[in-house]
Amino acid sequence: MADKYDVVVIGAGPAGYVCAIRAAQLGLKTVCIEKWRDKSGKGVNGGTCLNVGCIPSKALLDSSHKYWELSHSIQDHGIVPKDVELDVSAMIKRKDKIVKQLTGGIAGLFKANKVTSLFGTGKLLADRKVEYKDNDGNVSVIEADNVVIASGSQPIDIPVAPIDGEVILDSSGGLDLEEVPGRLGVIGAGVIGLELGSVWRRLGSEVILLEAMEDFLAIMDQQVARETHKIMKKQGLDIRLGCRVTGSKIKGRGKSKKVEVSYQTSDGKEATETFDKLIVCVGRRPFTEGLLAPDCGVDLDERGSIFVNEHCATNAPGVWAVGDVVRGPMLAHKGSEEGVMVAERIVGQKTQVNYDIIPNVIYTHPEVASVGLNEEQVKQSGEPYKVGVFPFVASGRALAADDSDGMVKLIAHEKTDRILGCHIVGPSAADLVQQVAIAMEFGSTAEDLGMIVFGHPTLSEAVHEAALAANGHAIHIPNKTKR
Ligand code: FAD
Ligand code: AMP
């Protein structure tokens, strides 16, 4: 006989496992099915984020940053390190240990919240039934009042550079290199390309990023993007804009295998570069392979995402979808909030996700973070606006830390003074932008933020000063506008 649950969640990434936990907290009998297996073949929760995404990339970014500081800038503090050595395999092992700790943590949370955790593959059938195939191939059917699809995304592969897992890698391969490549090519200078490029650059690779777009970080605030570009160049990242990769050829064998990449520049010229390794980071696509029976009633949109309304309900009654597999930015926290919203809506609450206030971060050093509208978007809306900018070079805390590249840019409505967006490149930008996200959620004006007492000396003072600057009241820089 089929098992019956209140909620079946397919996928235990940050969208799915959070949804399952919240549903169980609300008293719903919940099961979560996950097909991911670790290197030893054992089922493991956590999805892309914990296994090959947010967490392992940040582990390597932090390790490589420490190495870069030791080999480049620590001398300025009067510390002269001797015989600094790099042990890549220990670095990768540390990363794997963190991943294991966190994925194991989800198992603990499932247990504590009484979520049934199953390893294997789920497939949505008609009428809210889910076919479950365990990792030994046994098939059963689970019935549920609600099904939540949280099957995530996977890297886009491009035929001009097919992944061979040896020389041409996707982002997961780029997190698992056993030695530092002499010459590393990265296709795509987006979020993931910049993060992975930074890791290996700091560890000693010559890194060339080939980016098809003419504008650097085209969807970001362009003033902050320009500043970021300057900083990345200073760090030795060779970012070539307007360069579309058109082909790749593997050359040599065994250890001396390399890849020759051909690309076209925006003025139509053909060029080639040869790399020891190539990481393809051209974005991610929703993952729905083998997931949907033809009569399950769920529709896809033109991008292949599961079609949902603003509350993540699909076209099939009682079937929801959350996270990377649906529209919106592919970010872990966006999926988690959707997971919470769906669990709470299942029990009749009116929870919503505020899609206008979702922070977005690139974890390079310094970090690049934004929330709300950028200047280009505000300009396009036609609304009058004002801008306050505060450079970290004027921050005592940033100077003390020898970390003063970048700036905070805050945009507010010219008339209402309401904060419309904030864009930061600088130390701890991810945490700083979160302060503005909170202010925006409470409907804060730039003046409100300027009236809050900030501790001294903190990096947060740069946010305070940018808010003051929007109204011409900054203290620690000359004001462009007097109001
Ligand atoms: P996923 O995490 O992809 O999880 C989906 C799960 O569903 C997977 O475990 C999959 O095995 C499972 N699944 C799929 N189909 C089935 C099925 N039929 N049956 C059973 N299980 C199934 N985001 C951030 O917010 N911050 C970051 O710093 C960040 N860094 C990143 C760095 C890298 C290198 C990468 C690749 C991504 C990064 N992301 C980051 C993006 C983030 O990882 C994703 O947005 C997030 O993981 C999406 O969560 P999800 O739960 O929707 O999907
Ligand atoms: P993101 O979506 O942030 O992961 O960034 C992916 C980047 O890859 C985008 O900026 C794309 O313009 C870029 N890209 C996609 N295809 C190619 C290609 N063939 N050559 C170079 N860059 C590409």
Side-chain angles (χ1 to χ4, degrees), residues 316-329:
V319 180
W320 312 76
V322 292
D324 280 11
V325 78
V326 304
R327 83 286 174 264

Side-chain angles (χ1 to χ4, degrees), residues 194-343:
L194 285 172
E195 290 190 1
L196 291 179
S198 293
V199 165
W200 297 105
R201 169 74 202 120
R202 293 168 189 171
L203 299 179
S205 291
E206 182 191 352
V207 178
I208 299 177
L209 294 107
L210 300 169
E211 166 56 57
M213 307 276 276
E214 297 273 358
D215 293 324
F216 181 60
L217 295 174
I219 56 162
M220 288 194 50
D221 185 279
Q222 283 302 291
Q223 184 181 5
V224 169
R226 278 192 299 275
E227 185 69 18
T228 306
H229 196 188
K230 264 194 254 160
I231 297 169
M232 300 288 122
K233 270 209 238 169
K234 214 164 67 180
Q235 295 174 359
L237 286 177
D238 183 350
I239 302 167
R240 301 191 188 166
L241 301 173
C243 293
R244 177 169 292 279
V245 172
T246 50
S248 59
K249 246 188 246 157
I250 305 284
K251 303 236 154 146
R253 313 164 163 217
K255 275 247 165 205
S256 61
K257 245 190 198 176
K258 291 189 193 301
V259 54
E260 186 188 85
V261 173
S262 32
Y263 61 96
Q264 197 170 48
T265 60
S266 39
D267 51 7
K269 291 201 183 96
E270 302 286 342
T272 57
E273 283 290 349
T274 301
F275 301 112
D276 298 300
K277 301 278 178 199
L278 177 69
I279 310 180
V280 181
C281 299
V282 295
R284 299 180 63 80
R285 61 182 176 83
F287 181 75
T288 54
E289 261 100 77
L291 177 74
L292 306 169
D295 60 347
C296 72
V298 165
D299 292 330
L300 301 182
D301 66 17
E302 66 287 350
R303 288 182 55 248
S305 305
I306 292 182
F307 179 77
V308 288
N309 68 9
E310 73 273 31
H311 302 133
C312 291
T314 70
N315 284 345
V319 180
W320 312 76
V322 292
D324 280 11
V325 78
V326 304
R327 83 286 174 264
M330 288 190 175
L331 294 167
H333 42 287
K334 173 259 189 190
S336 298
E337 288 308 313
E338 289 177 334
V340 169
M341 170 173 72
V342 164

Side-chain angles (χ1 to χ4, degrees), residues 10-16 33-36 44 46-55 57-58 120-123 150-153 171 175 192 195-196 284 287 289-291 322-325 329-333 335 361 363:
I10 302 178
I33 306 172
E34 173 53 64
K35 74 181 179 66
W36 201 290
V44 65
T48 304
C49 170
L50 267 63
N51 289 289
V52 294
C54 320
I55 299 301
S57 58
K58 266 79 264 178
T121 306
K123 180 176 185 175
S151 54
S153 61
S171 58
L175 291 166
I192 297 175
E195 290 190 1
L196 291 179
R284 299 180 63 80
F287 181 75
E289 261 100 77
L291 177 74
V322 292
D324 280 11
V325 78
M330 288 190 175
L331 294 167
H333 42 287
V361 182
Y363 290 86

